[in-house]
Amino acid sequence: MASQKEWATELRSYLPWTQSPLIVSAPMGGFAWSPLATCVSLAGGLGLIGCLNDMAQLSTELTQARSTFASSFNPSIQASKTLPLGVGILAFICKIEDVVRVIEEFKPAVVWLFAAKQLGDYRGWIEALRSASLETKVWVQVGNVESALHVAKHARPDAICLQGADAGGHGFEKGAGIISLVPEAADALKREGFGHIPVLASGGIVDGRGVAAALALGAAGTVMGTRFLASKEVSIHPVAQAAVMEAEDGGQVTKRSKLFDQLKGPNIWPEAYDGRSLVTQSYEDYISGVSLEEIQKLHNEAILEDHRGYSIGRKGRAAIWAGTGVGIVKEVEAAADIVENVRKEARGIMSGLRDFQATVSAEQLIP
Ligand SMILES: Cc1cc2nc3c(=O)[nH]c(=O)nc-3n(C[C@H](O)[C@H](O)[C@H](O)COP(=O)(O)O)c2cc1C
């Protein structure tokens, strides 16, 4: 198995503007557009645009990102051979040929794939993307050990993001938190001969403590979604952002459920997925036995209002995707400040641990 240091060197070879530890903003579909992704990359992270299935909109966002980078004075951004950001693709709703055309034109540093109908679909995606843009690396996000092994064996991605059950938004219904998922998956990958594929961690990481912990678990880098819902550049309804800011005690005020994908109508997500949202009135009704039909009717009326069905106080009808880390997120900040402060905090914790190690070593010298 390559060491974490070797993984970090490899990642930096194609993300040369990034600083360690690697902080990635998640491709939150419909929320993470060019303003967020470019700010994250310009601050030394990797920004990912979260695309739904509108390729014209994706092209517009990438054009905007290209012009933002072109006017930046950051020499490592200027020196990048690829567009210094990534694009997140929901594989179950996008067509390979449509995505490939955009990737061929813009050559982003990374394409991130998630939620293919079948794990076996990733191979075709990765082959097509690599032939469209040799320079672009392809990452896949999965949520359990079995999927990580399957994807490594059959699709050979350039990195795997291990998404823990605390994550906001969609994820594997059958999964675990990163504290067990990351080491177990990394061990299994190593055992099966895939230890060279860098693993990243996502799910519940919102600050430097989470980043340092993920590195201690064996990850080469970290991905945060929920933390960036409290950024100035995210595209989010103000009431939904207020609900995120108000939330406390993330394990109680968020819930994983397939209900959130049934609010508009039939659930289009692949069977293996559910999603974590703030608890809403729709969810409370569901638990108390109100019929799905009634919940959908109330939801579909509410989303026509100015508030789009969002509310604070867990009273809204629409899902507000957020992870359990939401209780730690207290302030809306510029994305660049989030990246820089989280990185600084993680570095501080790691050097604190080095001091701790010195104490342990000194103790061992005492007979
Ligand atoms: C609002 C929101 C939207 C998301 N949308 C996507 C998406 O479109 N594609 C994707 O791969 N992941 C998506 N995710 C999941 C992220 O990739 C990531 O796993 C998650 O944000 C990590 O957990 P955290 O939110 O606790 O940081 C979304 C997450 C959130 C919070």
Side-chain angles (χ1 to χ4, degrees), residues 26-29 31 90 112 114 141 163 167-169 202-204 224-226 321:
M28 299 181 285
F31 300 86
L90 291 171
W112 158 295
F114 184 54
Q141 178 172 246
Q163 185 200 39
S202 68
M224 298 191 296
T226 298
W321 307 111

Side-chain angles (χ1 to χ4, degrees), residues 26-31 50-52 88-90 112-115 141 161 163-164 166-170 202-206 223-227 229 269 276 320-325:
M28 299 181 285
F31 300 86
C51 146
L52 296 170
I89 299 293
L90 291 171
W112 158 295
L113 300 174
F114 184 54
Q141 178 172 246
C161 180
Q163 185 200 39
D166 289 311
H170 290 88
S202 68
I205 303 169
V206 290
V223 180
M224 298 191 296
T226 298
R227 177 70 194 254
L229 290 178
W269 278 76
R276 186 180 289 280
I320 301 177
W321 307 111
T324 60

